[in-house]
Amino acid sequence: MRFLHTSDWHLGRRFHGEDLIPAQRAFLDHLVDTARTENVDAILVAGDVYDRAIPSLDAVHLFNRALHQLADLNVPIIMISGNHDSAHRLGVGSGLFARAGIHLRTDPATCDVPVLLNDTDGPIAVYGIPYLEPSMVRTQLEAEAASHRAVLTAALNKIHADLTNRQPAGTRSVVIAHAFVTPGTGPSDEPQLEESGSERDISVGGVAHVGADVFDGIDYVALGHLHGPQKVTDRIHYSGSPLPYSFSEAAHTKSFTLVDLTPGTAPAVTRLPCPTPHRLERIEGLLEDLLTNPAHEPIKGAWLEVTLTDPALPFEAMARLRRRFPHTLSLKHQRAFIPAQATDTPTYTERLRGRSELDIVCDFIADLRGTGPTPDEHALLQQAVDAARVNELQKETV
């Protein structure tokens, strides 16, 4: 059985103001062409189809076009909702779409209802687990706690129960999920995978990830959420996004994942490159050097993030940069280190870099009263931060 695994389309997203609809149309055309040339038996789409819960009209038109193209392939398409999607909106018409071979899994209640496929080695059950917001699905899934690990474990328990009752025994299984999964075995493990700046935080209680052991017993797990293509285990993979959505992804090779599933062995995984509209480049230096140095000529056509190291931000820096580099999209200013001007006081931007909302709130309290939050206060603040994030998610998606 051969699958094409893709995820994180983020239809309708813009890149520093640039319209990505033409590039997204190109990668969807490439997806359809690849499915034909590689003779795939099914396509797995692991969430974040749209970039927003209420997508733009252009994004909806593009998705509608893609649905027709996918249906014309005459192979099953199994698609789940991600944390950027509105599960209710994406799932509208799912019963009708299924008649055309497009199976939308956006309701946690259906996570143990597989799409059944067959090859010469027997049946394969493909299960779709939509993004599970713990506080919103805990009761429905009868999970032990409102955590990512608890709700995913509850969903997998339902899937294993369904597999146990299937005939013939030993039916192979594939799970599609949208989550932050790491090679470790529990929530205390540090993430070992590459994140990027364009992924929305999904942490609950300060923990965003779960261990790969949650998926024990599944033959292949097709993941979405992280935008870099990467391996969690031999049987668990992220396809990554087909386009770069932040300059932190400049070094990524965007791809689809081709999966050959053979009984008794680990899946054979091949990364197939995707077309990108412009290459991304990050450069830094003094403005005058960037404008005059011929060594920078090869990047004139790239989308650029420029960090200027001049002592002071030069006048009309962006306009001057764009005269040489028309696709300069992001401009930052970070003065070069000069020992005589060294200071132990970090800037506001430096103090916020890499810090979570909870960290910032705790710093604020410590600054106001001279001491940080007590353990009880810290727990209350964590609850407040989590509640604010869930409230924002509910406003977008429900």
Side-chain angles (χ1 to χ4, degrees), residues 150-170:
V151 295
L152 271 172
T153 297
L156 265 297
N157 287 342
K158 289 164 64 72
I159 288 171
H160 283 299
D162 181 77
L163 278 170
T164 299
N165 294 321
R166 291 212 164 268
Q167 296 296 328

Side-chain angles (χ1 to χ4, degrees), residues 329-345:
L329 303 184
S330 175
L331 176 61
K332 299 180 178 181
H333 180 227
Q334 183 174 326
R335 290 180 298 174
F337 178 76
I338 303 173
Q341 298 177 354
T343 175
D344 292 331
T345 305

Side-chain angles (χ1 to χ4, degrees), residues 259-290:
V259 184
D260 288 298
L261 194 63
T262 305
T265 185
V269 172
T270 306
R271 308 286 185 195
L272 303 177
C274 293
T276 53
H278 292 270
R279 80 176 197 268
L280 304 187
E281 294 285 351
R282 306 170 100 172
I283 59 172
E284 66 174 59
L286 300 171
L287 178 62
E288 201 57 39
D289 177 73
L290 298 179

Side-chain angles (χ1 to χ4, degrees), residues 87 105-112 128-132 137 140-141 155 158:
R105 293 292 189 262
T106 62
D107 183 353
T110 65
C111 68
D112 59 343
I129 304 176
Y131 170 69
L132 303 175
V137 302
Q140 182 180 9
L141 292 176
K158 289 164 64 72

Side-chain angles (χ1 to χ4, degrees), residues 365-389:
I365 290 175
D367 188 60
L368 273 182
R369 70 184 189 192
T371 60
T374 66
D376 286 344
E377 290 171 337
H378 191 276
L380 287 171
L381 289 169
Q382 180 71 74
Q383 291 176 27
V385 169
D386 289 346
R389 186 185 61 81

Side-chain angles (χ1 to χ4, degrees), residues 287 291 304 306 308 313-332:
L287 178 62
L291 295 179
L304 293 185
V306 178
L308 294 179
L313 181 63
F315 179 66
E316 293 188 336
M318 179 64 92
R320 294 163 67 186
L321 282 165
R322 283 182 170 171
R323 281 196 283 272
R324 184 179 188 191
F325 307 107
H327 301 292
T328 303
L329 303 184
S330 175
L331 176 61
K332 299 180 178 181

